[in-house]
Amino acid sequence: LPPLRYPAICTFKGGSESEGQQYIIHGGKTPNNELSDKMYVMSVVSKNSKKVTFRCTEKDLVGDVPEARYGHSIDVVYSRGKSMGVVFGGRSYIPSAQRTTEKWNTVADCLPHVFLVDFEFGCCIAYILPELQYGLAFHVSIARNDTIYILGGHSLANNTRPDNLYSIKVDLPLGSPAVSCTVLQGGISVSSAILTQTSNDEFVIVGGYQLENQKRMVCNIVSFEDNKIEIREMEPPDWTPDIKHSKIWFGS
């Protein structure tokens, strides 16, 4: 099994009926403050009334392997009958040449590259898109068919939570993949939020931060119709006192 960590996890529909769904675990920070660039594939082998058996294997990556990171996202896109993993954002330690005793655990935003990962062969390709100008971490990502939507996030370089809304489209023809990015309007300022899917075309965003010391107590509904995304506020629940007064309020 992977070591203890808080990583990025995505769900991937396996290629055969026996595989069912697979879970891709990538990166993360361990209790010893170590970062990992490892990728693991976990699947359910069998289940009965008392026991579930998992299989977990480490995937060898080649090519433009994403550096060790945390606070990133990994999703799966589907195009032309093929699938591909997409890694974006996160934070990593500053380069080893710059790490001193005083700055040993200093982190920086990873470069805003988009990585495509072939789960079958472990091949990684990095893409530089002009629309993505700076690094982001703890953003919200939603995968829909061949497109990933990136919402919010925190930029360490300028300590802001911009109201980002990016659409990253991945086309998988017979030749080389094509990746494009579109900047959309109507984003929200949030980091470290929890995303939950409530129906095929609807998601809910809960929690997170809108400022460094200000929790985000509103909730949002993200809905899709005809490949258009709409984000609107929803009435939040009556938060309990322990949630209202807690300093920590985040997920993922």
Side-chain angles (χ1 to χ4, degrees):
L1 288 174
L4 290 172
R5 62 182 65 200
Y6 51 102
I9 300 176
C10 68
T11 305
F12 171 55
K13 293 188 175 74
S16 65
E17 289 299 321
S18 62
E19 289 177 330
Q21 288 187 328
Q22 297 176 322
Y23 300 88
I24 313 298
I25 304 171
H26 177 261
K29 202 171 187 178
T30 70
N32 295 327
N33 275 337
E34 296 172 344
L35 296 183
S36 171
D37 63 354
K38 304 294 184 184
M39 182 172 290
Y40 300 87
V41 179
M42 181 180 288
S43 58
V44 176
V45 179
S46 63
K47 62 174 67 176
N48 54 41
S49 59
K50 295 183 178 180
K51 186 177 181 180
V52 178
T53 304
F54 289 95
R55 176 190 293 120
C56 186
T57 58
E58 181 180 332
K59 195 72 182 177
D60 292 327
L61 302 179
V62 296
D64 304 322
V65 179
E67 66 178 312
R69 62 187 64 204
Y70 72 105
H72 56 301
S73 61
I74 177 170
D75 297 277
V76 180
V77 291
Y78 298 89
S79 170
R80 304 175 188 259
K82 295 186 285 186
S83 62
M84 195 77 76
V86 182
V87 176
F88 175 75
R91 288 180 186 157
S92 185
Y93 288 125
I94 59 176
S96 56
Q98 302 175 21
R99 295 179 77 182
T100 62
T101 302
E102 293 78 14
K103 298 195 299 182
W104 193 254
N105 289 328
T106 301
V107 296
D109 292 324
C110 296
L111 293 174
H113 297 169
V114 175
F115 295 87
L116 294 192
V117 182
D118 186 323
F119 293 138
E120 184 177 358
F121 300 105
C123 300
C124 305
I125 310 173
Y127 292 83
I128 301 174
L129 305 178
E131 294 81 5
L132 302 172
Q133 292 290 322
Y134 50 87
L136 285 173
F138 303 108
H139 49 278
V140 173
S141 67
I142 302 176
R144 295 271 300 172
N145 301 321
D146 62 356
T147 304
I148 291 176
Y149 297 89
I150 303 294
L151 288 75
H154 180 249
S155 171
L156 198 60
N158 49 22
N159 193 27
T160 59
R161 289 169 175 80
D163 55 351
N164 295 319
L165 180 52
Y166 298 111
S167 170
I168 300 175
K169 183 179 176 65
V170 179
D171 187 20
L172 301 175
L174 288 177
S176 300
V179 182
S180 60
C181 179
T182 304
V183 180
L184 304 177
Q185 301 299 314
I188 56 176
S189 175
V190 63
S191 66
S192 301
I194 299 171
L195 176 75
T196 301
Q197 185 168 2
T198 53
S199 70
N200 189 47
D201 299 312
E202 194 171 271
F203 300 78
V204 173
I205 298 174
V206 179
Y209 296 90
Q210 59 190 42
L211 293 173
E212 188 69 30
N213 295 311
Q214 185 173 348
K215 297 183 299 183
R216 197 170 184 274
M217 307 304 290
V218 300
C219 303
N220 292 90
I221 293 179
V222 183
S223 55
F224 293 87
E225 185 175 354
D226 298 330
N227 290 326
K228 291 184 178 180
I229 181 173
E230 180 186 3
I231 305 173
R232 63 186 188 275
E233 285 192 15
M234 62 178 290
E235 184 176 349
D238 185 14
W239 302 117
T240 58
D242 57 330
I243 290 179
K244 290 180 180 178
H245 301 300
S246 170
K247 291 183 179 180
I248 299 177
W249 176 226
F250 64 93
S252 302

